[in-house]
Amino acid sequence: MSGAAAPSDLSGTQLAGYRLDRVIGRGGMAVVYEAEDLRLGRVVAVKLLAPELARNDVFRQRFARESKIAAAIDHPHIVPVYEAGEAEGVLFIAMRYVRGRDLRALLDRQGPLSVRQAARITGQVASALDAAHAHDLVHRDVKPGNILVAEGTDTEHPEHVYLTDFGLTKKSLSLTGLTTVGQFVGTLDYVAPEQISGKPVDGRCDVYSLACVVYEELTGAPPFRRDDDLALLWAHLNDPAPPLTASRPDLPPALDAVLAKALAKSPEERYDSCLAFVAALRAAGESPAVEAPVPTPTEVIPVLPEPVPAPPTWAWPVFGVGGPT
């Protein structure tokens, strides 16, 4: 089956008790609307999946199961899921409407972040991911577009970050199924090697994707940039990521080792949790950056001029020295 197509614009229509007002996001296999919950009179976000996804029995069953798990997770950095189901042949998820922008828009507007801001944002995402992993739920699609950045509470917490899209089921990626229903559709910039090779995944898959996001937060681009998808997949599987300091020489060199571990090809070589990765990121970010060596001062010994020799005796009358005046 070919790749799923996002549903057409349904603004102004009603679906499952929600009035779909306007499109606020669109991806390869879903459209997100700002909508009104007609039963409770509140503003919500409703994500509609491509109609052909509802016709895939495996996808539909896993969608229902994982949406139920996601709705049960009560965490300050996970967008609450209010309802998930199927209506008029379309799978939908209703969730809290978050006022703000996603990380993708923030990076496009602001450019590379400081280590402090990147760690502050990523720490909140890591907390959400580890909470999901504790419920045996792997996100599998951590990327800037799924990280929402809302206004924080004060100057110490300028951002409140939400992770979204837990309810979208994504089967393990395989080379023969990249464009089939239920697989990744769109960017492959953040996909872990074990997803590409079709191996079983756990929370360390999200560690890898989160590290790709951190790399982009700090440099302005994901770690691997290639001309086509096949070359990009090959890079994730085989190529080491360029060190951060190659693009940002102002960063502490200790960050290179942290990102290299988080981006290891083998899950066993990565950090065991997302928060462990962020803790190492913070510690490395506080280490000093490389500074140009300061030359050791050397003692300067003044060289005294050699004394002027006395004139020869035959010249004394000229210089008025020696002899009678």
Side-chain angles (χ1 to χ4, degrees):
M1 184 178 292
S2 61
S8 57
D9 190 353
L10 298 176
S11 298
T13 64
Q14 293 185 22
L15 181 76
Y18 301 96
R19 188 185 69 234
L20 309 177
D21 291 335
R22 65 184 183 94
V23 175
I24 56 175
R26 183 182 292 273
M29 64 177 183
V31 177
V32 183
Y33 293 85
E34 179 183 341
E36 181 183 355
D37 184 339
L38 298 175
R39 292 157 293 189
L40 299 177
R42 61 181 173 182
V43 177
V44 299
V46 174
K47 174 167 288 196
L48 304 184
L49 277 64
E52 53 263 44
L53 296 177
R55 296 194 289 269
N56 183 298
D57 290 338
V58 175
F59 186 96
R60 189 171 63 250
Q61 292 169 9
R62 293 190 61 179
F63 169 83
R65 180 179 64 84
E66 294 193 11
S67 295
K68 184 177 180 179
I69 295 172
I73 301 175
D74 182 14
H75 191 276
H77 299 295
I78 294 178
V79 175
V81 174
Y82 299 142
E83 183 182 7
E86 182 178 353
E88 301 179 26
V90 176
L91 296 172
F92 73 91
I93 308 171
M95 64 196 94
R96 174 182 292 174
Y97 176 72
V98 177
R99 299 185 183 279
R101 62 174 65 88
D102 61 30
L103 182 59
R104 166 83 284 130
L106 176 65
L107 293 175
D108 288 344
R109 180 177 64 88
Q110 186 173 327
L113 309 181
S114 66
V115 177
R116 183 184 298 273
Q117 186 178 14
R120 195 168 59 229
I121 290 174
T122 307
Q124 298 177 60
V125 179
S127 176
L129 287 169
D130 283 354
H133 299 161
H135 289 77
D136 296 323
L137 183 63
V138 181
H139 193 287
R140 298 185 180 92
D141 196 18
V142 180
K143 59 185 180 182
N146 284 337
I147 298 170
L148 306 180
V149 184
E151 185 176 353
T153 55
D154 51 48
T155 55
E156 293 294 320
H157 306 86
E159 311 96 356
H160 189 94
V161 178
Y162 294 92
L163 185 61
T164 188
D165 261 7
F166 273 106
L168 282 181
T169 303
K170 300 166 188 72
K171 292 187 296 184
S172 296
L173 194 62
S174 66
L175 289 174
T176 59
L178 292 176
T179 59
T180 61
V181 170
Q183 305 297 334
F184 282 83
V185 177
T187 179
L188 299 173
D189 288 330
Y190 316 93
V191 61
E194 59 268 31
Q195 291 176 270
I196 298 171
S197 57
K199 296 178 181 178
V201 299
D202 58 21
R204 292 169 297 184
C205 153
D206 289 338
V207 171
Y208 183 95
S209 298
L210 187 62
C212 290
V213 172
V214 170
Y215 194 101
E216 184 168 2
E217 286 178 323
L218 295 175
T219 68
F224 301 108
R225 287 169 286 179
R226 301 295 186 267
D227 293 334
D228 57 61
D229 287 349
L230 188 59
L232 182 55
L233 292 173
W234 176 265
H236 279 297
L237 285 169
N238 299 285
D239 296 344
L244 284 171
T245 52
S247 300
R248 289 277 307 272
D250 60 304
L251 294 177
L255 286 170
D256 289 335
V258 173
L259 267 293
K261 180 173 181 177
L263 291 170
K265 305 304 180 186
S266 171
E268 290 74 19
E269 298 177 4
R270 297 177 203 146
Y271 294 96
D272 290 333
S273 70
C274 294
L275 282 174
F277 164 47
V278 174
L281 182 73
R282 286 197 174 102
E286 294 172 357
S287 62
V290 172
E291 298 180 357
V294 178
T296 303
T298 57
E299 183 180 358
V300 178
I301 302 175
V303 179
L304 299 177
E306 295 183 2
V308 178
T313 55
W314 58 262
W316 285 358
V318 178
F319 290 94
V321 296
T325 57

